Amino acid sequence: MEFLVSFDIYPSQFNTSWRSVIHFTNNSEEGKYGERIPGIWFSPNCISCLQISASVNDSHDFPITTPKIDLHQWSNLEVSQIFRKSVYVYTIKLKGNVIYSGVNYQAQSFYNVKVYASDPWHDAQDGFIRNLFIINGNDLHLFNVLYADNDKGTNLTDYCNWANINCKNTNGSYSCTCKSGWKLSNNSCVDIDECENNCNWTNSNCTNTDGSYNCTCQPGWRLVNSSCVDIDECENNCNWTNSNCTNTDGSYNCTCQPGWRLVNSSCVDIDECENNCNWTNSNCTNTDGSYNCTCQPGWRLVNSSCVDIDECENNCNWTNSNCTNTDGSYNCTCQPGWRLVNSSCVDIDECENNCNWTNSNCTNTDGSYNCTCQPGWRLVNSSCVDINECNSLTDNCNLTNNVCVNSIGSYNCYKGEWSTWSECSKTCGSGYKYSFLNEPIELQQEHYRSLTCMKTKCPVDGVWSHWTTDQSCSNSFCNCSIRLERYCNNPAPDAGGYDCFGINVRYLENNKICQVNGGWTQWTPWSLCSQPCQNGVKTRYRSCTNPVPKNGGLPCNGSNTDKIPCFLDKCKNVTVNFGIIFTDENYNESEKLEGKIKTAIQNLYKKFNKTVPFNLKLNSMKNVNSYWPGP
């Protein structure tokens, strides 16, 4: 007759059909007393609520529905029937809170009770159970003590005396339940927070009250058929001039149309010219809600930029005019030789300020002028110089024994002759030679003519430059010596002039005796090849005199002579005809004569340090008397 069933349940999914959790029965599914003692399911009438059915009093299927439980969370359920003070009290607790308690006057004992988790007549609930306790019979004596302690000895008859409770009379007994909106907890009806499972639509608010609750919508939303729908606030807001209203979920935004800005619930015009039309040579005009970009005079708008207008296309179009386009404007000028007078180019008389040298003439032309010289003069570098008519190829004085004498701007013809040309006034460089008229003329004036001569370059002898000094120290025991050097370049010899005479390097030494190591001079140029062909050498030399070793100084290291081979080509055979006259003796035998000739030729080459191999072949011999008249 006494029992207690306690376990934790973790639902992982809710369904719309009956789902079995645990079922105690002594026979089958239902229909008889003792077939649900108890049975626990998830009910389709409240998808997330547990329904506990048991055999209580005159009902074999006495159902109690729990409040909703959480998905994916553990919840404890306890169902018990305890004998207390001569009655059996049937109690259901969820998460430690009593949701039902009543007296079972028809409590019975059942044997061979079967336990299904879950039963074979329903689909199993999705999820888990843990901490399952099943206690019956005498095993409940410990539980009774604990239970009595928790109830602090409260008389069951006092259960229906607390506030917000309903008492239901039954055959021979009664049952206590809490009113709607309340739940039984520790022999008291406490308010149920319905907001845990109600008013859960979007943008809603739930306010719990004693035994009930109120559903309202958040600001900007209104309740329509158990749903919060957005209120269009733009119907009564943002209604000033040049404004726009944008409704949003639960709210709204007031903005101004382009070109306007919001100031104290009013749209005022924006001066766009502060940040627009800011390119060079542009103008900006602000308008209500907008602006206009224009260009300054002389400029035109092209792709958000002011570009210069070429005004020369339609201006300065008169004769002899020039047009120069400038940034934003233009300049009209006349071509050289013309000046601007009343939008017309008139000719300038350049002769007023030009061709003003002696013996010149100026002729003004359209836009220019011509400079010429008077007869007898010619133009040379903006000056009129006298023409020497006497140097022309034309015989201006075409009479016999007449000579031509040039005069300023003209010439005169005189009877007489020119003397022969004199010696050149200089032996080199540029000089003159002269010829004089050798007969007097009417004006008793001596006349002459001249020609340039000796345009050859004069030789320049070389001159030494100033001495340059270079101080050096030979060792730590001697004072420093000074090296002096000069160069033949002040000036350098030229055009056959003589080289400088003397040494170019010398040394100044102190009174102490110091060792001076020898130093090589520069190599001389290479000599000519010692042989014209085959096995010749070229030689160059240097000397240990820069400086000369002194006072035990070291001599120069190395050789003073350097040789390289030259002309390694094979020598060519050359046939040479010699005419040799021997007067000291007569040779009748040709062999003696050939030896004599060979020795004479070899001696000739030895004078030049040359050795030339050759073959001697005598083709003919003549007696000296046949062609030489004698000594």
Side-chain angles (χ1 to χ4, degrees), residues 339 348-356 362 364 369:
R339 68 175 179 269
I348 297 173
D349 186 1
E350 294 87 354
C351 288
E352 295 178 359
N353 299 309
N354 293 284
C355 309
N356 51 7
C362 182
N364 186 58
Y369 64 98

Side-chain angles (χ1 to χ4, degrees), residues 234-259:
C234 287
E235 295 178 358
N236 300 309
N237 293 284
C238 311
N239 50 7
W240 53 80
T241 305
N242 299 307
S243 66
N244 291 325
C245 182
T246 304
N247 186 58
T248 61
D249 287 343
S251 187
Y252 64 99
N253 288 323
C254 289
T255 58
C256 291
Q257 295 176 6

Side-chain angles (χ1 to χ4, degrees), residues 533-555:
C533 61
Q534 197 168 5
N535 299 327
V537 293
K538 291 194 299 184
T539 308
R540 64 178 182 176
Y541 303 92
R542 62 180 177 177
S543 63
C544 188
T545 60
N546 188 29
V548 176
K550 292 182 179 180
N551 305 321
L554 297 175

Side-chain angles (χ1 to χ4, degrees), residues 5 10 37 48 56 162 169 220 235 248 319 324 342 395 403 417 509 573 596:
V5 177
Y10 183 98
I37 50 171
S48 59
V56 178
W162 53 78
N169 187 48
E235 295 178 358
T248 61
T319 305
T324 303
N342 297 328
D395 186 3
V403 295
E417 294 181 355
E509 297 181 358
N573 291 324
K596 185 68 174 180

Side-chain angles (χ1 to χ4, degrees), residues 119-408:
D119 66 31
W121 303 286
H122 302 88
D123 293 331
Q125 169 61 30
D126 296 312
F128 310 92
I129 62 173
R130 69 181 183 185
N131 299 328
L132 175 62
F133 295 95
I134 303 174
I135 305 174
N136 68 339
N138 295 328
D139 293 332
L140 279 171
H141 68 279
L142 178 59
F143 180 80
N144 285 337
V145 174
L146 297 174
Y147 191 86
D149 182 66
N150 289 337
D151 281 333
K152 294 181 173 54
T154 303
N155 194 323
L156 187 62
T157 58
D158 296 331
Y159 281 4
C160 295
N161 292 331
W162 53 78
N164 299 306
I165 196 165
N166 291 323
C167 183
K168 181 180 179 182
N169 187 48
T170 60
N171 290 329
S173 184
Y174 64 95
S175 62
C176 295
T177 60
C178 291
K179 293 180 180 180
S180 176
W182 302 82
K183 63 185 177 184
L184 189 61
S185 176
N186 296 327
N187 298 329
S188 177
C189 287
V190 296
D191 178 56
I192 297 174
D193 186 0
E194 293 87 354
C195 289
E196 294 181 359
N197 299 306
N198 293 283
C199 310
N200 51 7
W201 54 82
T202 306
N203 300 305
S204 65
N205 292 323
C206 182
T207 304
N208 186 58
T209 61
D210 287 342
S212 185
Y213 64 97
N214 289 323
C215 288
T216 58
C217 289
Q218 296 175 5
W221 304 83
R222 66 175 179 270
L223 188 60
V224 177
N225 297 327
S226 299
S227 177
C228 288
V229 296
D230 177 56
I231 298 173
D232 187 0
E233 295 87 353
C234 287
E235 295 178 358
N236 300 309
N237 293 284
C238 311
N239 50 7
W240 53 80
T241 305
N242 299 307
S243 66
N244 291 325
C245 182
T246 304
N247 186 58
T248 61
D249 287 343
S251 187
Y252 64 99
N253 288 323
C254 289
T255 58
C256 291
Q257 295 176 6
W260 304 82
R261 68 175 180 269
L262 187 61
V263 178
N264 298 328
S265 299
S266 177
C267 289
V268 297
D269 177 57
I270 297 173
D271 186 0
E272 294 87 354
C273 288
E274 295 179 358
N275 299 309
N276 293 284
C277 311
N278 51 7
W279 53 83
T280 306
N281 301 304
S282 65
N283 293 322
C284 182
T285 304
N286 187 59
T287 61
D288 286 343
S290 187
Y291 63 98
N292 289 322
C293 290
T294 58
C295 290
Q296 297 175 6
W299 302 83
R300 67 174 180 270
L301 188 60
V302 177
N303 296 328
S304 299
S305 178
C306 287
V307 297
D308 177 57
I309 297 174
D310 187 0
E311 295 87 353
C312 289
E313 295 178 359
N314 300 310
N315 294 284
C316 311
N317 51 8
W318 53 81
T319 305
N320 298 307
S321 66
N322 290 325
C323 182
T324 303
N325 185 59
T326 61
D327 287 341
S329 186
Y330 65 99
N331 290 322
C332 289
T333 58
C334 291
Q335 296 176 5
W338 304 82
R339 68 175 179 269
L340 187 61
V341 178
N342 297 328
S343 299
S344 177
C345 288
V346 296
D347 178 57
I348 297 173
D349 186 1
E350 294 87 354
C351 288
E352 295 178 359
N353 299 309
N354 293 284
C355 309
N356 51 7
W357 54 80
T358 306
N359 300 306
S360 65
N361 292 323
C362 182
T363 304
N364 186 58
T365 61
D366 286 342
S368 186
Y369 64 98
N370 289 321
C371 289
T372 58
C373 291
Q374 296 174 6
W377 303 83
R378 70 175 182 273
L379 188 61
V380 178
N381 297 328
S382 299
S383 178
C384 288
V385 297
D386 175 54
I387 298 174
N388 188 352
E389 293 89 350
C390 294
N391 287 338
S392 75
L393 296 177
T394 304
D395 186 3
N396 292 316
C397 298
N398 54 2
L399 298 175
T400 304
N401 294 324
N402 278 7
V403 295
C404 180
V405 177
N406 185 61
S407 62
I408 298 176

Side-chain angles (χ1 to χ4, degrees), residues 412-434:
N412 294 308
C413 292
Y414 299 100
K415 185 177 180 179
E417 294 181 355
W418 290 107
S419 67
T420 59
W421 289 103
S422 67
E423 294 293 332
C424 191
S425 62
K426 293 184 178 181
T427 58
C428 64
S430 180
Y432 293 91
K433 61 182 179 179
Y434 302 94

